[in-house]
Amino acid sequence: MLFLAIRHLVSRKKQTTLTLLGIVFGAAAFVAISGFMLGFQYFLLDQLINNDAHIRISAREDRVDSVVASGDLYGKSGSSSVVWVVEPSGTRTSPKIENPRGWDEVLSKDPRVEAYSPQFSTQVLFLSGVVSATGRMIGSEPDAQRKVTNIENYIKTGRFLDLAAGGNRIIVGTGLLKKLGAGDGSTVFVSTGRTQTPFKVIGTFETGNRQLDESTVFASLSDTQRLSGNQNEINNIAVRLFDFNRAREIARDWQSMAVDRVESWDEINASFLNVFQIQDATRYLMIGIILLVAGFGIYNILNVVVSQKKREIAILRSIGYEQGDILRLFFFQGLILGIVGSALGLVMGYIACLGLEQIKFGGGPMGGGAAMKVSFDKMIYIRAFVFGSMSAALASVLPARSAGKLTPIDIIRSGAE
Amino acid sequence: MSIKAVHLSKSFGEPAIKVLHDLSFEIQAGDFVALTGRSGSGKSTLLYLLGALDFPTSGHVEMGGHDLSAVSERELHRIRNQNVGFVFQFHYLLPELSALENVLTPVRKAVDFGVDVSSFETRGRELLVRFGLEGKEGRLPRHLSGGEQQRVAIARALVMKPKYLFADEPTGALDSANGEVVIRLFEETNSVDGTTVIMVTHDTGFAARARRQIRLVDGRIAEDIVNSAPSGV
């Protein structure tokens, strides 16, 4: 019946072309929209996964209330007789990781851990002349830090490893340096509130994330600890895993045996990932509607064709063609339209993606002048092909079934023309 | 390989209107029978029952000794494909296919029934040549005249070398010259190939050329006569 199905389609050139276009545009839209949306998602995911720790271990935040405060101040026995005029409330941030040596032992022996970097990060005020800006100073051991994140990829000037020597040297985000009106090699004062300490700018970095570039500096761990008066203390450990997909499971493992807070990259960025899910839902909805419309086109056209072809169906049935043959005759037409339309749609979608990739845009979290990120993941193309073909095939099932049910004598008796 | 109608009745609709009333007769293999009668007499209905296209309300048809109401659906399709050829008033050719491709449509299906079809394309071509359509094998039906289209339809009905050829007013849509050609082809098929021909016709002249005439009146056999000297046979 394939032969006859092809002949049917070829003989109705205009109808076939119009129907085909519906599927082509549906599949192309799937590829282009998915390529664009997933490209953006993959880019952001890459940023989230590779520019920061897969698991972050940080000092725990405890809630403080009247019970906790009474116990801390008056002991267990005395706390029951305390009456508060103003009830205490809020959170108490433990300034340090409770057992850094214990973590060192765990992380160094865990085969799932690729690298880890103990850090001390603190909020500071940067001063350069009369200009000031708030920001965050991240103190780390540079050799460990570069193994955990991609920071070295974003160094514009200087060498990240030069921080290892200490001596109050910093590598500053280009945005922050610009804000401060300072330059490479100049001295910037850093204050934690009590004193001001001079730091020399020995390099700059630019991640493309404006928020990060305008507020962050990197320094050696010892310089940062000294600045904040917390010698030998750390408040963060950034961990890189061999398999980032296992981050959540491993974080739960560690959390169960530690008082510190252990969070995986996907927990830290849950809001981002939620947005991705909403994007995915929107994408599937849009594409579903497009393919539904294309499917209805096929359904309508095949219905008309079935009623136009009743005489031919009658003659085929009278020469021995079975119900299944007639069903296949029309089902194949839908399937062929789906397969050919989807294949052409993939090509059109691919070309559209190549075009999208050339579009430059400014601003935003990726910085200015970046090219549009488009995904060419083969799963997009496979899904577009399967969805396009299936929607066309499904749309042809009902007309094909109704054609299959026609008996020769009913058609002849009804005098179908 | 006779065809036997045994107490054949057929009703349509609700409440039932009886179109054929308890018909019993036998058509011998190789016979040429004309079914005649006025419009509404039930002759086409009888033709479709005999030709395995329709089923009786009661009674049954035996084709070559097999009760058609007792055979499986698959077997029924095989019978339609290989034992029976049908020609209608309108040619019912598939407009997308050439004349030869139309002729070979039953052959394509015969493959499913395990028939060796290697020689059938040659037979299809030979039939077209025999029917005066040489050189027109590749033409689409719309590029053929009405008479030529009907001859292609007859070739299609005969390509599988059926034992029975059923024709429902095959000349009804043709002018007299083309009608004559069609009847001659039937006569030739009947006499040369031994195919049993059963033809519904209004045309008394063509009916007289059959070996036997069965005339129906209101679903009953009013006359069943053997033409003593059929003009064409």
Side-chain angles (χ1 to χ4, degrees), chain A residues 4 7-8 10-12 308-313 315-316, chain B residues 91-99 101-102 105 138-144 149 156:
Chain A
L4 199 51
R7 283 301 186 87
H8 269 188
V10 172
S11 72
R12 308 190 307 264
Q308 284 174 344
K309 293 284 178 191
K310 279 185 175 173
R311 286 191 316 176
E312 284 84 349
I313 294 168
I315 197 67
L316 287 171
Chain B
H91 55 79
Y92 287 179
L93 295 176
L94 305 188
E96 305 83 9
L97 304 186
S98 69
E101 285 168 340
N102 263 292
T105 330
R139 289 198 188 173
L140 293 174
R142 65 174 178 273
H143 297 134
L144 298 171
Q149 288 170 345
R156 177 179 61 193

mmCIF file of all heavy atoms in Angstrom, chain A residues 4 7-8 10-12 308-313 315-316, chain B residues 91-99 101-102 105 138-144 149 156:
data_model
loop_
_atom_site.group_PDB
_atom_site.id
_atom_site.type_symbol
_atom_site.label_atom_id
_atom_site.label_comp_id
_atom_site.label_asym_id
_atom_site.label_seq_id
_atom_site.Cartn_x
_atom_site.Cartn_y
_atom_site.Cartn_z
ATOM 1 N N LEU A 4 0.865 2.905 -3.343
ATOM 2 C CA LEU A 4 -0.363 3.639 -3.649
ATOM 3 C C LEU A 4 -0.461 4.904 -2.791
ATOM 4 O O LEU A 4 -0.920 5.958 -3.254
ATOM 5 C CB LEU A 4 -1.568 2.716 -3.414
ATOM 6 C CG LEU A 4 -2.873 3.122 -4.075
ATOM 7 C CD1 LEU A 4 -2.693 3.398 -5.558
ATOM 8 C CD2 LEU A 4 -3.926 2.024 -3.888
ATOM 9 N N ARG A 7 1.598 7.477 -4.355
ATOM 10 C CA ARG A 7 0.923 7.981 -5.555
ATOM 11 C C ARG A 7 -0.201 8.950 -5.184
ATOM 12 O O ARG A 7 -0.387 9.986 -5.826
ATOM 13 C CB ARG A 7 0.356 6.830 -6.373
ATOM 14 C CG ARG A 7 1.403 6.089 -7.168
ATOM 15 C CD ARG A 7 2.102 7.034 -8.136
ATOM 16 N NE ARG A 7 3.007 6.348 -8.996
ATOM 17 C CZ ARG A 7 2.669 5.781 -10.146
ATOM 18 N NH1 ARG A 7 1.426 5.833 -10.570
ATOM 19 N NH2 ARG A 7 3.563 5.170 -10.875
ATOM 20 N N HIS A 8 -0.934 8.603 -4.142
ATOM 21 C CA HIS A 8 -2.012 9.494 -3.684
ATOM 22 C C HIS A 8 -1.445 10.870 -3.332
ATOM 23 O O HIS A 8 -1.981 11.897 -3.742
ATOM 24 C CB HIS A 8 -2.687 8.900 -2.443
ATOM 25 C CG HIS A 8 -3.859 8.030 -2.760
ATOM 26 N ND1 HIS A 8 -4.689 7.530 -1.800
ATOM 27 C CD2 HIS A 8 -4.340 7.565 -3.927
ATOM 28 C CE1 HIS A 8 -5.642 6.801 -2.377
ATOM 29 N NE2 HIS A 8 -5.429 6.802 -3.658
ATOM 30 N N VAL A 10 1.425 12.239 -4.184
ATOM 31 C CA VAL A 10 2.022 12.943 -5.331
ATOM 32 C C VAL A 10 0.925 13.541 -6.218
ATOM 33 O O VAL A 10 1.078 14.638 -6.753
ATOM 34 C CB VAL A 10 2.943 11.983 -6.131
ATOM 35 C CG1 VAL A 10 3.409 12.624 -7.428
ATOM 36 C CG2 VAL A 10 4.140 11.580 -5.279
ATOM 37 N N SER A 11 -0.184 12.826 -6.316
ATOM 38 C CA SER A 11 -1.244 13.320 -7.200
ATOM 39 C C SER A 11 -1.961 14.545 -6.619
ATOM 40 O O SER A 11 -2.594 15.289 -7.346
ATOM 41 C CB SER A 11 -2.254 12.205 -7.483
ATOM 42 O OG SER A 11 -3.012 11.962 -6.319
ATOM 43 N N ARG A 12 -1.852 14.748 -5.289
ATOM 44 C CA ARG A 12 -2.496 15.925 -4.675
ATOM 45 C C ARG A 12 -1.412 16.899 -4.249
ATOM 46 O O ARG A 12 -1.224 17.176 -3.066
ATOM 47 C CB ARG A 12 -3.281 15.517 -3.426
ATOM 48 C CG ARG A 12 -4.262 14.400 -3.572
ATOM 49 C CD ARG A 12 -5.115 14.298 -2.316
ATOM 50 N NE ARG A 12 -4.339 14.201 -1.098
ATOM 51 C CZ ARG A 12 -4.035 13.055 -0.484
ATOM 52 N NH1 ARG A 12 -4.434 11.923 -0.991
ATOM 53 N NH2 ARG A 12 -3.339 13.048 0.626
ATOM 54 N N GLN A 308 -13.481 11.613 -0.610
ATOM 55 C CA GLN A 308 -13.323 11.760 -2.067
ATOM 56 C C GLN A 308 -12.936 10.431 -2.729
ATOM 57 O O GLN A 308 -13.167 10.234 -3.912
ATOM 58 C CB GLN A 308 -12.228 12.786 -2.382
ATOM 59 C CG GLN A 308 -12.657 14.227 -2.177
ATOM 60 C CD GLN A 308 -11.484 15.183 -2.355
ATOM 61 O OE1 GLN A 308 -10.320 14.772 -2.348
ATOM 62 N NE2 GLN A 308 -11.790 16.467 -2.502
ATOM 63 N N LYS A 309 -12.300 9.568 -1.964
ATOM 64 C CA LYS A 309 -11.730 8.346 -2.548
ATOM 65 C C LYS A 309 -12.604 7.115 -2.324
ATOM 66 O O LYS A 309 -12.117 5.989 -2.434
ATOM 67 C CB LYS A 309 -10.341 8.089 -1.942
ATOM 68 C CG LYS A 309 -9.302 9.121 -2.322
ATOM 69 C CD LYS A 309 -8.822 8.906 -3.731
ATOM 70 C CE LYS A 309 -7.821 9.948 -4.160
ATOM 71 N NZ LYS A 309 -7.538 9.905 -5.583
ATOM 72 N N LYS A 310 -13.862 7.334 -1.980
ATOM 73 C CA LYS A 310 -14.706 6.185 -1.650
ATOM 74 C C LYS A 310 -14.822 5.201 -2.817
ATOM 75 O O LYS A 310 -14.826 3.989 -2.629
ATOM 76 C CB LYS A 310 -16.094 6.663 -1.223
ATOM 77 C CG LYS A 310 -16.124 7.108 0.231
ATOM 78 C CD LYS A 310 -17.520 7.449 0.654
ATOM 79 C CE LYS A 310 -17.545 7.761 2.140
ATOM 80 N NZ LYS A 310 -18.853 8.252 2.568
ATOM 81 N N ARG A 311 -14.928 5.729 -4.018
ATOM 82 C CA ARG A 311 -15.052 4.842 -5.184
ATOM 83 C C ARG A 311 -13.834 3.949 -5.307
ATOM 84 O O ARG A 311 -13.934 2.748 -5.561
ATOM 85 C CB ARG A 311 -15.186 5.670 -6.471
ATOM 86 C CG ARG A 311 -16.539 6.315 -6.628
ATOM 87 C CD ARG A 311 -16.700 6.875 -7.994
ATOM 88 N NE ARG A 311 -15.503 7.600 -8.461
ATOM 89 C CZ ARG A 311 -15.372 8.128 -9.660
ATOM 90 N NH1 ARG A 311 -16.359 7.998 -10.525
ATOM 91 N NH2 ARG A 311 -14.286 8.766 -10.013
ATOM 92 N N GLU A 312 -12.650 4.579 -5.106
ATOM 93 C CA GLU A 312 -11.411 3.800 -5.222
ATOM 94 C C GLU A 312 -11.316 2.772 -4.107
ATOM 95 O O GLU A 312 -10.844 1.649 -4.315
ATOM 96 C CB GLU A 312 -10.184 4.727 -5.175
ATOM 97 C CG GLU A 312 -9.939 5.496 -6.457
ATOM 98 C CD GLU A 312 -10.754 6.773 -6.553
ATOM 99 O OE1 GLU A 312 -11.658 6.966 -5.717
ATOM 100 O OE2 GLU A 312 -10.510 7.575 -7.471
ATOM 101 N N ILE A 313 -11.790 3.188 -2.910
ATOM 102 C CA ILE A 313 -11.776 2.232 -1.792
ATOM 103 C C ILE A 313 -12.673 1.045 -2.135
ATOM 104 O O ILE A 313 -12.311 -0.112 -1.918
ATOM 105 C CB ILE A 313 -12.251 2.915 -0.486
ATOM 106 C CG1 ILE A 313 -11.248 3.999 -0.064
ATOM 107 C CG2 ILE A 313 -12.423 1.898 0.634
ATOM 108 C CD1 ILE A 313 -11.740 4.918 1.037
ATOM 109 N N ILE A 315 -13.476 -0.163 -5.065
ATOM 110 C CA ILE A 315 -12.908 -1.058 -6.062
ATOM 111 C C ILE A 315 -11.774 -1.877 -5.463
ATOM 112 O O ILE A 315 -11.633 -3.068 -5.738
ATOM 113 C CB ILE A 315 -12.465 -0.291 -7.345
ATOM 114 C CG1 ILE A 315 -12.280 -1.256 -8.506
ATOM 115 C CG2 ILE A 315 -11.193 0.490 -7.157
ATOM 116 C CD1 ILE A 315 -13.548 -1.896 -8.965
ATOM 117 N N LEU A 316 -10.976 -1.234 -4.604
ATOM 118 C CA LEU A 316 -9.885 -1.981 -3.964
ATOM 119 C C LEU A 316 -10.447 -3.109 -3.106
ATOM 120 O O LEU A 316 -9.945 -4.230 -3.126
ATOM 121 C CB LEU A 316 -9.016 -1.041 -3.113
ATOM 122 C CG LEU A 316 -8.108 -0.084 -3.897
ATOM 123 C CD1 LEU A 316 -7.468 0.941 -2.968
ATOM 124 C CD2 LEU A 316 -7.011 -0.852 -4.630
ATOM 125 N N HIS B 91 -16.083 3.041 -14.459
ATOM 126 C CA HIS B 91 -14.847 2.246 -14.491
ATOM 127 C C HIS B 91 -14.171 2.102 -13.130
ATOM 128 O O HIS B 91 -13.520 1.131 -12.852
ATOM 129 C CB HIS B 91 -13.882 2.854 -15.509
ATOM 130 C CG HIS B 91 -13.593 4.300 -15.266
ATOM 131 N ND1 HIS B 91 -12.719 4.719 -14.310
ATOM 132 C CD2 HIS B 91 -14.098 5.431 -15.840
ATOM 133 C CE1 HIS B 91 -12.662 6.037 -14.317
ATOM 134 N NE2 HIS B 91 -13.499 6.502 -15.230
ATOM 135 N N TYR B 92 -14.316 3.119 -12.267
ATOM 136 C CA TYR B 92 -13.693 3.106 -10.931
ATOM 137 C C TYR B 92 -12.184 2.846 -11.015
ATOM 138 O O TYR B 92 -11.630 2.104 -10.199
ATOM 139 C CB TYR B 92 -14.321 2.041 -10.028
ATOM 140 C CG TYR B 92 -15.718 2.358 -9.525
ATOM 141 C CD1 TYR B 92 -16.409 1.465 -8.718
ATOM 142 C CD2 TYR B 92 -16.350 3.557 -9.850
ATOM 143 C CE1 TYR B 92 -17.688 1.738 -8.249
ATOM 144 C CE2 TYR B 92 -17.631 3.831 -9.390
ATOM 145 C CZ TYR B 92 -18.296 2.925 -8.601
ATOM 146 O OH TYR B 92 -19.549 3.195 -8.145
ATOM 147 N N LEU B 93 -11.552 3.445 -12.004
ATOM 148 C CA LEU B 93 -10.089 3.299 -12.076
ATOM 149 C C LEU B 93 -9.457 4.241 -11.054
ATOM 150 O O LEU B 93 -10.026 5.282 -10.730
ATOM 151 C CB LEU B 93 -9.581 3.644 -13.478
ATOM 152 C CG LEU B 93 -10.046 2.723 -14.603
ATOM 153 C CD1 LEU B 93 -9.536 3.243 -15.955
ATOM 154 C CD2 LEU B 93 -9.558 1.296 -14.382
ATOM 155 N N LEU B 94 -8.279 3.880 -10.570
ATOM 156 C CA LEU B 94 -7.587 4.758 -9.631
ATOM 157 C C LEU B 94 -6.917 5.860 -10.452
ATOM 158 O O LEU B 94 -6.065 5.567 -11.296
ATOM 159 C CB LEU B 94 -6.550 3.990 -8.818
ATOM 160 C CG LEU B 94 -7.055 2.765 -8.056
ATOM 161 C CD1 LEU B 94 -5.962 2.206 -7.141
ATOM 162 C CD2 LEU B 94 -8.273 3.090 -7.218
ATOM 163 N N PRO B 95 -7.314 7.114 -10.233
ATOM 164 C CA PRO B 95 -6.847 8.188 -11.121
ATOM 165 C C PRO B 95 -5.350 8.463 -11.036
ATOM 166 O O PRO B 95 -4.782 9.056 -11.946
ATOM 167 C CB PRO B 95 -7.643 9.412 -10.638
ATOM 168 C CG PRO B 95 -8.090 9.086 -9.259
ATOM 169 C CD PRO B 95 -8.216 7.608 -9.188
ATOM 170 N N GLU B 96 -4.712 8.002 -9.947
ATOM 171 C CA GLU B 96 -3.269 8.278 -9.782
ATOM 172 C C GLU B 96 -2.412 7.282 -10.539
ATOM 173 O O GLU B 96 -1.211 7.485 -10.689
ATOM 174 C CB GLU B 96 -2.856 8.181 -8.303
ATOM 175 C CG GLU B 96 -3.626 9.049 -7.348
ATOM 176 C CD GLU B 96 -4.934 8.428 -6.900
ATOM 177 O OE1 GLU B 96 -5.172 7.241 -7.191
ATOM 178 O OE2 GLU B 96 -5.742 9.149 -6.285
ATOM 179 N N LEU B 97 -3.028 6.176 -10.971
ATOM 180 C CA LEU B 97 -2.243 5.111 -11.583
ATOM 181 C C LEU B 97 -2.451 5.064 -13.089
ATOM 182 O O LEU B 97 -3.523 5.406 -13.591
ATOM 183 C CB LEU B 97 -2.646 3.756 -10.985
ATOM 184 C CG LEU B 97 -2.541 3.607 -9.460
ATOM 185 C CD1 LEU B 97 -2.829 2.167 -9.061
ATOM 186 C CD2 LEU B 97 -1.176 4.011 -8.955
ATOM 187 N N SER B 98 -1.404 4.630 -13.786
ATOM 188 C CA SER B 98 -1.505 4.490 -15.235
ATOM 189 C C SER B 98 -2.431 3.318 -15.567
ATOM 190 O O SER B 98 -2.812 2.547 -14.674
ATOM 191 C CB SER B 98 -0.113 4.224 -15.816
ATOM 192 O OG SER B 98 0.316 2.943 -15.417
ATOM 193 N N ALA B 99 -2.746 3.183 -16.849
ATOM 194 C CA ALA B 99 -3.631 2.100 -17.277
ATOM 195 C C ALA B 99 -3.077 0.747 -16.839
ATOM 196 O O ALA B 99 -3.789 -0.059 -16.233
ATOM 197 C CB ALA B 99 -3.783 2.149 -18.799
ATOM 198 N N GLU B 101 -0.826 0.091 -14.508
ATOM 199 C CA GLU B 101 -0.791 -0.025 -13.040
ATOM 200 C C GLU B 101 -2.181 -0.343 -12.489
ATOM 201 O O GLU B 101 -2.320 -1.109 -11.535
ATOM 202 C CB GLU B 101 -0.266 1.276 -12.422
ATOM 203 C CG GLU B 101 1.239 1.451 -12.588
ATOM 204 C CD GLU B 101 1.728 2.846 -12.256
ATOM 205 O OE1 GLU B 101 0.892 3.797 -12.254
ATOM 206 O OE2 GLU B 101 2.937 3.001 -12.016
ATOM 207 N N ASN B 102 -3.211 0.256 -13.105
ATOM 208 C CA ASN B 102 -4.576 -0.061 -12.691
ATOM 209 C C ASN B 102 -4.884 -1.532 -12.934
ATOM 210 O O ASN B 102 -5.469 -2.199 -12.080
ATOM 211 C CB ASN B 102 -5.567 0.811 -13.458
ATOM 212 C CG ASN B 102 -5.991 2.025 -12.651
ATOM 213 O OD1 ASN B 102 -6.681 1.903 -11.644
ATOM 214 N ND2 ASN B 102 -5.549 3.201 -13.076
ATOM 215 N N THR B 105 -3.436 -3.789 -10.277
ATOM 216 C CA THR B 105 -3.785 -3.584 -8.852
ATOM 217 C C THR B 105 -4.126 -4.902 -8.147
ATOM 218 O O THR B 105 -3.659 -5.137 -7.037
ATOM 219 C CB THR B 105 -4.982 -2.615 -8.700
ATOM 220 O OG1 THR B 105 -4.990 -1.703 -9.770
ATOM 221 C CG2 THR B 105 -4.910 -1.853 -7.414
ATOM 222 N N GLY B 138 0.867 3.436 -20.313
ATOM 223 C CA GLY B 138 1.382 4.398 -19.336
ATOM 224 C C GLY B 138 0.476 5.594 -19.115
ATOM 225 O O GLY B 138 0.803 6.487 -18.319
ATOM 226 N N ARG B 139 -0.652 5.625 -19.805
ATOM 227 C CA ARG B 139 -1.524 6.802 -19.685
ATOM 228 C C ARG B 139 -2.362 6.752 -18.418
ATOM 229 O O ARG B 139 -2.831 5.688 -18.008
ATOM 230 C CB ARG B 139 -2.455 6.889 -20.891
ATOM 231 C CG ARG B 139 -1.715 7.276 -22.143
ATOM 232 C CD ARG B 139 -2.680 7.767 -23.178
ATOM 233 N NE ARG B 139 -1.983 7.970 -24.445
ATOM 234 C CZ ARG B 139 -2.569 8.265 -25.571
ATOM 235 N NH1 ARG B 139 -3.892 8.388 -25.603
ATOM 236 N NH2 ARG B 139 -1.880 8.454 -26.672
ATOM 237 N N LEU B 140 -2.581 7.950 -17.873
ATOM 238 C CA LEU B 140 -3.470 8.034 -16.714
ATOM 239 C C LEU B 140 -4.915 7.947 -17.211
ATOM 240 O O LEU B 140 -5.201 8.321 -18.352
ATOM 241 C CB LEU B 140 -3.256 9.355 -15.976
ATOM 242 C CG LEU B 140 -1.891 9.515 -15.284
ATOM 243 C CD1 LEU B 140 -1.749 10.933 -14.718
ATOM 244 C CD2 LEU B 140 -1.714 8.492 -14.167
ATOM 245 N N PRO B 141 -5.836 7.473 -16.378
ATOM 246 C CA PRO B 141 -7.234 7.317 -16.813
ATOM 247 C C PRO B 141 -7.824 8.589 -17.436
ATOM 248 O O PRO B 141 -8.607 8.498 -18.383
ATOM 249 C CB PRO B 141 -7.953 6.955 -15.510
ATOM 250 C CG PRO B 141 -6.925 6.268 -14.694
ATOM 251 C CD PRO B 141 -5.623 6.954 -15.028
ATOM 252 N N ARG B 142 -7.440 9.758 -16.896
ATOM 253 C CA ARG B 142 -8.053 10.987 -17.428
ATOM 254 C C ARG B 142 -7.618 11.280 -18.864
ATOM 255 O O ARG B 142 -8.218 12.126 -19.535
ATOM 256 C CB ARG B 142 -7.759 12.176 -16.512
ATOM 257 C CG ARG B 142 -6.313 12.589 -16.400
ATOM 258 C CD ARG B 142 -6.191 13.880 -15.582
ATOM 259 N NE ARG B 142 -4.813 14.285 -15.400
ATOM 260 C CZ ARG B 142 -4.025 13.859 -14.418
ATOM 261 N NH1 ARG B 142 -4.497 13.013 -13.521
ATOM 262 N NH2 ARG B 142 -2.770 14.271 -14.324
ATOM 263 N N HIS B 143 -6.584 10.602 -19.300
ATOM 264 C CA HIS B 143 -6.129 10.783 -20.675
ATOM 265 C C HIS B 143 -6.662 9.687 -21.608
ATOM 266 O O HIS B 143 -6.195 9.557 -22.737
ATOM 267 C CB HIS B 143 -4.591 10.832 -20.729
ATOM 268 C CG HIS B 143 -4.022 11.995 -19.985
ATOM 269 N ND1 HIS B 143 -2.950 11.892 -19.123
ATOM 270 C CD2 HIS B 143 -4.415 13.294 -19.935
ATOM 271 C CE1 HIS B 143 -2.703 13.068 -18.591
ATOM 272 N NE2 HIS B 143 -3.574 13.933 -19.067
ATOM 273 N N LEU B 144 -7.619 8.924 -21.116
ATOM 274 C CA LEU B 144 -8.243 7.882 -21.940
ATOM 275 C C LEU B 144 -9.712 8.236 -22.163
ATOM 276 O O LEU B 144 -10.317 8.928 -21.334
ATOM 277 C CB LEU B 144 -8.164 6.523 -21.225
ATOM 278 C CG LEU B 144 -6.762 5.954 -20.943
ATOM 279 C CD1 LEU B 144 -6.865 4.725 -20.041
ATOM 280 C CD2 LEU B 144 -6.041 5.604 -22.244
ATOM 281 N N GLN B 149 -11.364 3.631 -20.907
ATOM 282 C CA GLN B 149 -11.331 3.462 -19.446
ATOM 283 C C GLN B 149 -12.053 2.174 -19.041
ATOM 284 O O GLN B 149 -11.568 1.415 -18.210
ATOM 285 C CB GLN B 149 -12.007 4.673 -18.773
ATOM 286 C CG GLN B 149 -11.173 5.947 -18.852
ATOM 287 C CD GLN B 149 -11.949 7.175 -18.411
ATOM 288 O OE1 GLN B 149 -13.173 7.146 -18.297
ATOM 289 N NE2 GLN B 149 -11.234 8.270 -18.175
ATOM 290 N N ARG B 156 -8.502 -5.137 -15.843
ATOM 291 C CA ARG B 156 -8.207 -5.277 -14.413
ATOM 292 C C ARG B 156 -9.008 -6.441 -13.812
ATOM 293 O O ARG B 156 -8.495 -7.211 -12.999
ATOM 294 C CB ARG B 156 -8.563 -3.972 -13.683
ATOM 295 C CG ARG B 156 -8.364 -4.045 -12.179
ATOM 296 C CD ARG B 156 -8.691 -2.730 -11.505
ATOM 297 N NE ARG B 156 -10.079 -2.363 -11.717
ATOM 298 C CZ ARG B 156 -10.597 -1.165 -11.457
ATOM 299 N NH1 ARG B 156 -9.814 -0.196 -11.003
ATOM 300 N NH2 ARG B 156 -11.863 -0.904 -11.656
#
